[in-house]
Amino acid sequence: MRFIRPVWLTHSGEKKDFEVYSCHVSPDGSRLVTAAGDGYVRVWSTEAAFNAADPSFHGPRQLASMSYHSGTIHTVRFSGNGRYLASGADDKIVCVYTFDPHPPTHNTAFGTDEPPPVETWKIHRRLIGHDNDVQDLGWSHDSSILVSVGLDSKVVVWSGYTFEKLKTISGHQSLVKGITFDPANKYFATASDDRTVKLWRFTSPGPNSTAYDQMSNFVLEKSIENPFKNSPLTTYFRRCSWSPDGNHIAAANAVNGPVSSVAIINRSIWDGDIHLIGHEGPVEVCAFSPRLFSKVRPSNQSVDGKGQNLSNLVTVIACAGQDKALSIWITSNPRPLVITQELAVKSLSDLAWTPDGLNLFITSLDGSIICVSFEPGELGYEVSQEETEKTLERFGTGRRGAGIIEGTDGLLMEEKSREDELRGAEGRMGALMGDAPPSQSSTANGHDNPAPTSAAAVNGFTPSTDAKLPLVNGEEPQSTRNDAQVNGQNHEDPNKEKLEKLKSRVTITKDGKKRIVPLLLSSSGGYESSLPRAQLMSASTIIQGGKDDSPQTLLDLSKPFDGLPKGGLNSLLLGNKRKWAKPEDAEDDSIEKRISLASKDGAVPIVANTSEGLVPARSGSGSAGQQPTPEFIRPAILNPSLTVSQVRLAVPKLRRHITQKIGKPNGLAAPEDSTRGPDHALTANGRQTQAELMIEVRNPSQLPTSGRSSDQEPCKITVSRRGQPLWQDFLPRSTLLVTGNETFWAAACEDGSIHAWTPAGRRLVNALILESQPVKVECMKNWLLCVTAVGLCYVWDMNTLQSPHPPVSLAPLLDIAIYSLQDHVTAGPAVTAARLSSEGRIVIRLSNGEGFAYSPSMYIWQRISEVWWAVGSQYWNSGAASVGDLRSSSGAKDGSNVSAGIIPFLEGGTRTESMVRGKAVLLQRLVKQLLSREGYEGFESTVSIAHLENRVAATLMLGSKEEFQVYLYMYAKRIGNEGLKTKVEELLQGLLGGNGGDDDIEATESSVGKRNAVDRTWDNGTDYVCGWARTELQKGVLSILGKNRDLHRITVPYAKLLGVPEELEHETEHEMMVS
């Protein structure tokens, strides 16, 4: 070990050397950056510092100096990818610099003795978010976020891509003076003068993430207080450090009794029972060496069958503080390896290791910068970076090494993938700054639309409020497309000429000069706002034209749902117990006395609940003969089939008057919008108009005079348009439910029969007789769904008068297998929604948050959504945002997106039910306990990947073309980042798939049903999967996986097979010729 103290390595002034507050070494180890009280950020050459004693060395010393702060700079930090450099100062600003590879074009400023710059570092962003001095900075290990802390007690999180403020955390009660990041990229820790170290759990945001997306990210995991209860408040910093193996945190300014110490906090249990004692004064800074060391040489190390190192790996930590001493500890020894006293005249402020772990830079408030260099083997034998990564894999780290470039083809794919990723981030920033181009004609589900569209409510799926055009399951009405295009030409804007005149309007001023009156863009209406707008999710905003497929967690499960009792707040305060009725001729307590006498011998008095209160029941004489069924209990009469049924569903109450209105834009009737109510519908221009078609049912209002229920008046059914009757019909039984669309009308009666009519009123089929009363009737296109009181689901095709499958029971969905094991009747989950897809697939949503869809090809129910995904998956809520902003880039044919919106519809119900019933809170507590146990480090990653695989399988089964592509790309990106080579190769092999040719699939696309039997599986023998060409999907997946160098051996052969490298070379040559 030797100490190097170059004379020129300082922030010198005219009269004294300025205090140096911070230092850091670049990831490649070639640069040292320092910050001091002179307001300069200086970049030095580490090679010059190591060779300070060599007179033959003539390389540059100071590489650059930046002065963009107006005060003392307290901290400087390089990003993990080496692309950015950040600094924070007492001017409350964080500056981000970027390296310019071009040589400097300017010399030293006039009047200064600064050496000429060798490198160029330009200011990239100035981040304003603190109200007081910025004390420390920290980058995540994947450089996805930058976190700054300061004397305003705030922790501010910035995006590492766009440098937007993602979140401001006000969890500390006093000055925050230190931050460190978990090398496994799961936590970061902050140290404050409130005598706590707080652990914050986070998920790395994506390039397109916004503050709205990260509302539930960066949550408090643990607050550690014990080692710091009596710590002094006189330190300038509390800079902590995380060990490279992720097991420990070294926290400065701790105490062990009356002695100053460094607390070592263990991962998972987060206790601080271990202390490093050796300093006489408070410790202000700790720094773990970035490398692990071994006691034996690498050639003699033993490994197990999985390639794990069996020898004891040790870490090295350096500590310094107000006692001007430096101590270096190694985990294999209970005592420090070395302690140096009086290393400087004033306190030591910061420590920085080089990436190889053999050199340590020290800064002091006396202006000195010292380098400590260790000989190889002095601290131990260095362990390779791969071994360090293996130690982090048990914590579920997604951080991968740089990898080795396999060839030029892999490099081209990597550049293409990065360009696509950055283009999305830059486009979003341009939209926020207002310099985005006007919105072009978009393509939705393969059809050109004159304006961006969003799906209208289908099967209970809520659309965005700014929808321009109603879509039915992802398909545009034919008449709308015909109106949008006439003879291949689009309609011209009728206000275009008026706008041009307004823009060129000339006025004459007082001095006689002509001036053009400016026109506000907002008043012209020619451009659509490019700012974020809410779609499908209340806690997230979606940027127009962009998709955010990064993991995110928007469901706040840490707060239980506190519901009010029946009756609301009044019942909670005053109670809802009914009072006794008081007859006029009775005393005040006469009723109570009668009831008390009746119950004296243990009998239970019978009382009647009337509008006036509770009164004793009166005996009446029974009437002879058959009695008519009272109207208010008629649907509740027990059917004989219900006495032997496993499932009993509630029958809807009989209503005297039933109306249902359906909008009819452009001559075609469309389903009503469930979010706006039955009184309004959406037309082609997105405006809210009065419904045009209405079906009206009038049930008999009086009981039959003969006393026989068969002699009652008939039920009258009327269909009208704008108040004018189109046709009428009469039914002998009262009607419970009605439904209809542009294809047919249907009515379900209380005797278990269903009647259907054509739009003109012709009977479509004879009465369909069911085994029990219908409880739910829905229609979609030509499909009709009926759910009966015994839990059977019927589906019919009203065009062909056929059923795709026999009646299906809801018993498997209602936990029959669990509740049938009990001895007594137990209330199971309730059916909250029953829907149909455009292919006739049954979709069921339950009150326990689970969602199901029936597969007619496998004759089985499939669970699509459940609370488990909401708690354990990092991609919960990401699907709704991505699908809600779909803009298809390929020309899909009619019927390609036949089930869009079903998965967001089911997952939305899961989110609502889990929050209302509080079930997710209990599951979240279980998950938190599992994460702290050994063997569950990769729990979140495994569940997130399983959630994406569940989505891909569901969209393939349902035939949701656009959603299938979104979820497939999200899945490919995640398994690529995780480095799951086996799954990547399996995915590419599955997409390579069949050899049926284009003719086979074209012949089967004549009808939706035929296409379903062909391309709904991976090995279908055709060149299509879920309506997408296999080559198109494979190119998209390869573009996503191209940035992962460790996967190039797998992806490059598939890219060559598709000719991707040749296409990229041609594009590059074309761009060079154009430029």
Side-chain angles (χ1 to χ4, degrees):
M1 181 178 66
R2 59 193 181 99
F3 290 85
I4 306 173
R5 186 172 182 174
V7 179
W8 48 266
L9 189 57
T10 182
H11 287 247
S12 59
E14 296 180 359
K15 298 182 180 181
K16 66 170 185 176
D17 293 339
F18 288 96
E19 299 88 349
V20 182
Y21 290 96
S22 183
C23 66
H24 201 238
V25 181
S26 62
D28 59 1
S30 61
R31 300 177 181 89
L32 169 69
V33 61
T34 58
D38 57 353
Y40 277 87
V41 174
R42 301 185 188 271
V43 182
W44 312 87
S45 171
T46 55
E47 183 182 5
F50 299 150
N51 295 277
D54 187 3
S56 61
F57 180 80
H58 299 289
R61 298 175 177 174
Q62 180 173 308
L63 303 180
S65 63
M66 296 84 73
S67 178
Y68 292 96
H69 288 283
S70 59
T72 300
I73 304 175
H74 294 153
T75 176
V76 283
R77 295 291 183 263
F78 280 104
S79 62
N81 55 17
R83 183 177 179 183
Y84 299 108
L85 171 64
S87 63
D90 59 4
D91 58 359
K92 313 173 188 178
I93 296 177
V94 176
C95 292
V96 181
Y97 315 90
T98 182
F99 176 71
D100 187 357
H102 299 89
T105 58
H106 62 281
N107 295 324
T108 305
F110 179 77
T112 63
D113 56 355
E114 290 286 332
V118 179
E119 298 178 346
T120 302
W121 288 81
K122 293 184 177 180
I123 185 72
H124 183 67
R125 289 285 190 274
R126 290 170 62 90
L127 311 180
I128 302 176
H130 284 276
D131 300 328
N132 210 327
D133 300 5
V134 180
Q135 286 294 101
D136 205 2
L137 296 171
W139 293 86
S140 63
H141 284 265
D142 60 354
S143 301
S144 61
I145 59 173
L146 168 67
V147 178
S148 59
V149 299
L151 302 185
D152 55 357
S153 306
K154 294 181 181 178
V155 179
V156 184
V157 184
W158 312 88
S159 170
Y161 304 99
T162 61
F163 294 100
E164 295 180 53
K165 185 195 298 183
L166 298 181
K167 193 170 186 178
T168 299
I169 306 173
S170 301
H172 285 284
Q173 305 300 320
S174 187
L175 319 178
V176 189
K177 297 182 177 180
I179 180 175
T180 182
F181 268 88
D182 174 20
N185 232 39
K186 299 293 182 183
Y187 306 94
F188 64 85
T190 55
S192 170
D193 272 357
D194 60 3
R195 295 187 171 99
T196 63
V197 170
K198 295 185 183 296
L199 274 299
W200 309 92
R201 188 177 187 84
F202 75 98
T203 300
S204 296
N208 296 333
S209 298
T210 63
Y212 298 95
D213 304 332
Q214 307 302 314
M215 290 179 63
S216 297
N217 202 355
F218 313 106
V219 295
L220 180 65
E221 179 73 13
K222 183 72 173 179
S223 181
I224 305 169
E225 302 177 359
N226 288 334
F228 316 101
K229 288 185 176 180
N230 299 319
S231 61
L233 304 178
T234 58
T235 57
Y236 204 74
F237 300 105
R238 288 175 180 258
R239 285 171 171 160
C240 42
S241 179
W242 211 302
S243 63
D245 58 359
N247 285 324
H248 304 97
I249 304 174
N253 199 9
V255 291
N256 187 5
V259 182
S260 298
S261 66
V262 176
I264 303 299
I265 302 171
N266 296 313
R267 192 187 183 98
S268 299
I269 58 177
W270 309 119
D271 61 351
D273 296 338
I274 303 176
H275 291 263
L276 303 181
I277 300 175
H279 287 266
E280 298 178 356
V283 178
E284 295 196 18
V285 56
C286 304
F288 272 102
S289 173
R291 300 296 292 270
L292 293 176
F293 294 89
S294 176
K295 296 180 181 180
V296 297
R297 291 183 180 275
S299 59
N300 299 330
Q301 291 179 358
S302 59
V303 295
D304 58 7
K306 298 181 181 180
Q308 296 288 346
N309 188 3
L310 295 179
S311 62
N312 293 327
L313 301 180
V314 298
T315 56
V316 179
I317 179 175
C319 307
Q322 292 184 356
D323 59 353
K324 296 164 285 185
L326 170 70
S327 64
I328 297 178
W329 304 73
I330 189 168
T331 53
S332 60
N333 296 330
R335 296 186 178 183
L337 185 65
V338 63
I339 294 181
T340 59
Q341 300 287 344
E342 302 297 332
L343 192 61
V345 179
K346 294 184 179 180
S347 301
L348 303 183
S349 57
D350 205 358
L351 303 172
W353 290 89
T354 54
D356 58 3
L358 296 178
N359 299 280
L360 174 66
F361 287 94
I362 310 165
T363 60
S364 174
L365 297 184
D366 63 358
S368 60
I369 304 173
I370 307 168
C371 175
V372 181
S373 182
F374 297 91
E375 298 296 333
E378 190 172 358
L379 298 176
Y381 297 96
E382 296 180 42
V383 177
S384 64
Q385 191 65 26
E386 295 180 357
E387 293 292 335
T388 305
E389 295 291 339
K390 288 181 180 179
T391 61
L392 295 174
E393 288 181 0
R394 60 196 179 111
F395 299 123
T397 177
R399 187 165 57 96
R400 298 293 168 187
I404 301 175
I405 300 177
E406 299 291 340
T408 57
D409 297 335
L411 187 60
L412 288 173
M413 293 176 58
E414 182 178 348
E415 292 178 354
K416 177 67 175 176
S417 178
R418 290 180 177 177
E419 289 177 1
D420 295 341
E421 189 173 354
L422 291 176
R423 190 180 297 115
E426 293 173 357
R428 185 171 59 84
M429 280 301 299
L432 291 174
M433 298 302 295
D435 56 357
S439 57
Q440 303 293 334
S441 61
S442 60
T443 306
N445 301 326
H447 305 296
D448 294 335
N449 300 326
T453 63
S454 61
V458 179
N459 295 341
F461 182 54
T462 306
S464 58
T465 57
D466 56 349
K468 299 296 182 183
L469 202 62
L471 302 181
V472 182
N473 277 340
E475 294 184 357
E476 185 182 2
Q478 182 66 32
S479 60
T480 306
R481 292 193 293 269
N482 294 339
D483 292 346
Q485 295 183 354
V486 180
N487 297 329
Q489 297 180 357
N490 297 331
H491 285 298
E492 294 184 357
D493 188 0
N495 298 325
K496 184 176 181 181
E497 296 182 0
K498 184 185 299 183
L499 293 176
E500 294 296 333
K501 292 182 180 180
L502 290 175
K503 293 179 181 178
S504 58
R505 187 173 57 181
V506 180
T507 58
I508 300 178
T509 60
K510 295 181 179 180
D511 54 358
K513 296 182 180 181
K514 294 182 179 181
R515 293 289 184 270
I516 296 179
V517 179
L519 177 65
L520 272 175
L521 290 179
S522 59
S523 63
S524 64
Y527 297 91
E528 186 178 357
S529 174
S530 60
L531 294 178
R533 57 186 181 184
Q535 289 187 354
L536 304 178
M537 290 163 36
S538 61
S540 175
T541 55
I542 310 301
I543 301 301
Q544 178 69 23
K547 295 178 289 185
D548 185 9
D549 56 359
S550 59
Q552 48 186 297
T553 304
L554 300 181
L555 183 62
D556 188 6
L557 303 175
S558 60
K559 299 178 180 179
F561 177 80
D562 297 329
L564 293 176
K566 185 177 180 180
L569 189 59
N570 292 333
S571 298
L572 182 64
L573 299 178
L574 305 177
N576 53 7
K577 185 177 180 180
R578 296 300 306 274
K579 297 182 178 180
W580 300 101
K582 296 181 179 180
E584 296 180 357
D585 56 348
E587 299 179 0
D588 292 342
D589 57 347
S590 61
I591 300 296
E592 288 82 349
K593 290 180 179 179
R594 292 175 57 187
I595 296 299
S596 60
L597 291 175
S599 58
K600 184 176 182 181
D601 298 331
V604 178
I606 301 176
V607 296
N609 187 5
T610 65
S611 58
E612 300 296 334
L614 299 178
V615 298
R618 299 178 181 178
S619 60
S621 59
S623 58
Q626 182 180 2
Q627 297 296 323
T629 302
E631 181 181 2
F632 62 90
I633 67 169
R634 184 179 301 163
I637 294 177
L638 187 63
N639 190 295
S641 63
L642 294 178
T643 60
V644 295
S645 174
Q646 291 179 319
V647 180
R648 300 182 184 180
L649 301 181
V651 180
K653 182 180 179 180
L654 182 65
R655 293 170 290 175
R656 295 181 180 179
H657 190 204
I658 304 174
T659 59
Q660 182 170 343
K661 299 179 181 180
I662 298 177
K664 185 184 176 187
N666 297 333
L668 290 177
E672 67 181 25
D673 187 351
S674 61
T675 61
R676 298 171 183 257
D679 295 334
H680 298 84
L682 291 176
T683 58
N685 57 6
R687 296 179 180 177
Q688 186 176 343
T689 60
Q690 190 175 10
E692 299 189 1
L693 289 179
M694 182 180 70
I695 182 171
E696 182 180 8
V697 178
R698 290 190 177 273
N699 290 316
S701 58
Q702 297 180 356
L703 296 177
T705 56
S706 63
R708 295 188 296 269
S709 59
S710 59
D711 296 339
Q712 67 178 2
E713 298 178 1
C715 170
K716 180 180 179 181
I717 297 180
T718 306
V719 175
S720 60
R721 177 189 288 118
R722 297 181 180 177
Q724 299 296 326
L726 296 180
W727 56 269
Q728 288 184 352
D729 203 346
F730 297 91
L731 298 177
R733 299 289 185 268
S734 297
T735 300
L736 295 178
L737 302 167
V738 292
T739 186
N741 54 21
E742 71 276 7
T743 306
F744 65 91
W745 298 94
C749 299
E750 65 174 346
D751 63 345
S753 62
I754 294 182
H755 304 263
W757 299 268
T758 64
R762 176 175 58 88
R763 288 285 181 128
L764 190 60
V765 67
N766 296 331
L768 307 178
I769 305 303
L770 306 175
E771 77 287 344
S772 60
Q773 289 95 341
V775 299
K776 187 70 175 179
V777 177
E778 290 287 340
C779 66
M780 175 56 63
K781 291 188 176 179
N782 55 308
W783 299 97
L784 175 63
L785 167 67
C786 178
V787 182
T788 65
V790 296
L792 290 182
C793 299
Y794 293 84
V795 177
W796 302 284
D797 187 343
M798 304 307 291
N799 286 346
T800 62
L801 299 182
Q802 294 179 352
S803 178
H805 51 76
V808 184
S809 176
L810 293 176
L813 310 188
L814 303 177
D815 296 341
I816 291 297
I818 299 177
Y819 291 99
S820 61
L821 301 178
Q822 302 179 6
D823 298 333
H824 55 278
V825 179
T826 306
V831 178
T832 58
R835 299 287 188 269
L836 272 176
S837 72
S838 57
E839 289 184 347
R841 304 289 178 88
I842 308 175
V843 179
I844 300 294
R845 202 166 70 182
L846 303 182
S847 59
N848 59 6
E850 296 183 352
F852 301 86
Y854 185 76
S855 174
S857 60
M858 299 182 67
Y859 297 101
I860 196 68
W861 289 101
Q862 294 186 11
R863 183 186 289 111
I864 307 298
S865 178
E866 56 182 323
V867 183
W868 176 254
W869 303 129
V871 176
S873 175
Q874 297 173 336
Y875 289 89
W876 186 255
N877 260 338
S878 63
S882 301
V883 177
D885 199 35
L886 282 176
R887 298 291 181 266
S888 175
S889 59
S890 62
K893 298 186 177 182
D894 293 346
S896 59
N897 190 11
V898 294
S899 300
I902 291 180
I903 293 181
F905 163 72
L906 293 178
E907 292 190 351
T910 303
R911 179 174 59 254
T912 303
E913 295 294 339
S914 62
M915 293 178 64
V916 171
R917 300 181 181 273
K919 181 178 180 181
V921 179
L922 301 177
L923 283 177
Q924 189 195 34
R925 294 174 182 173
L926 174 62
V927 170
K928 284 189 175 181
Q929 294 177 359
L930 290 178
L931 291 176
S932 61
R933 297 181 185 177
E934 185 176 359
Y936 289 88
E937 293 81 5
F939 174 82
E940 281 186 314
S941 176
T942 303
V943 175
S944 299
I945 293 176
H947 183 209
L948 292 179
E949 293 171 347
N950 183 77
R951 283 178 169 179
V952 172
T955 52
L956 187 61
M957 184 269 291
L958 294 170
S960 305
K961 179 180 177 181
E962 301 292 349
E963 293 180 87
F964 176 76
Q965 185 194 45
V966 172
Y967 297 143
L968 179 67
Y969 287 170
M970 293 169 64
Y971 175 66
K973 182 177 181 181
R974 183 56 184 263
I975 63 177
N977 293 337
E978 294 286 344
L980 303 179
K981 298 181 180 180
T982 305
K983 289 192 175 183
V984 169
E985 188 171 7
E986 184 183 52
L987 176 62
L988 294 176
Q989 184 64 32
L991 290 176
L992 189 60
N995 52 3
D998 296 342
D999 298 336
D1000 296 344
I1001 191 68
E1002 291 292 339
T1004 61
E1005 283 189 350
S1006 59
S1007 66
V1008 175
K1010 292 182 180 179
R1011 184 177 71 82
N1012 296 341
V1014 177
D1015 65 343
R1016 294 300 173 82
T1017 59
W1018 294 98
D1019 299 329
N1020 51 45
T1022 69
D1023 290 340
Y1024 286 78
V1025 176
C1026 200
W1028 291 98
R1030 291 180 181 270
T1031 55
E1032 183 177 354
L1033 291 178
Q1034 200 164 22
K1035 287 181 180 180
V1037 171
L1038 289 172
S1039 175
I1040 293 173
L1041 298 175
K1043 65 180 180 180
N1044 302 100
R1045 291 186 180 178
D1046 52 348
L1047 300 177
H1048 282 181
R1049 291 187 179 181
I1050 301 175
T1051 57
V1052 170
Y1054 288 94
K1056 289 182 178 180
L1057 185 62
L1058 298 176
V1060 174
E1062 291 78 4
E1063 295 179 1
L1064 296 178
E1065 289 180 357
H1066 292 324
E1067 291 180 2
T1068 305
E1069 293 177 358
H1070 179 70
E1071 292 177 358
M1072 294 178 62
M1073 293 176 61
V1074 172
S1075 58

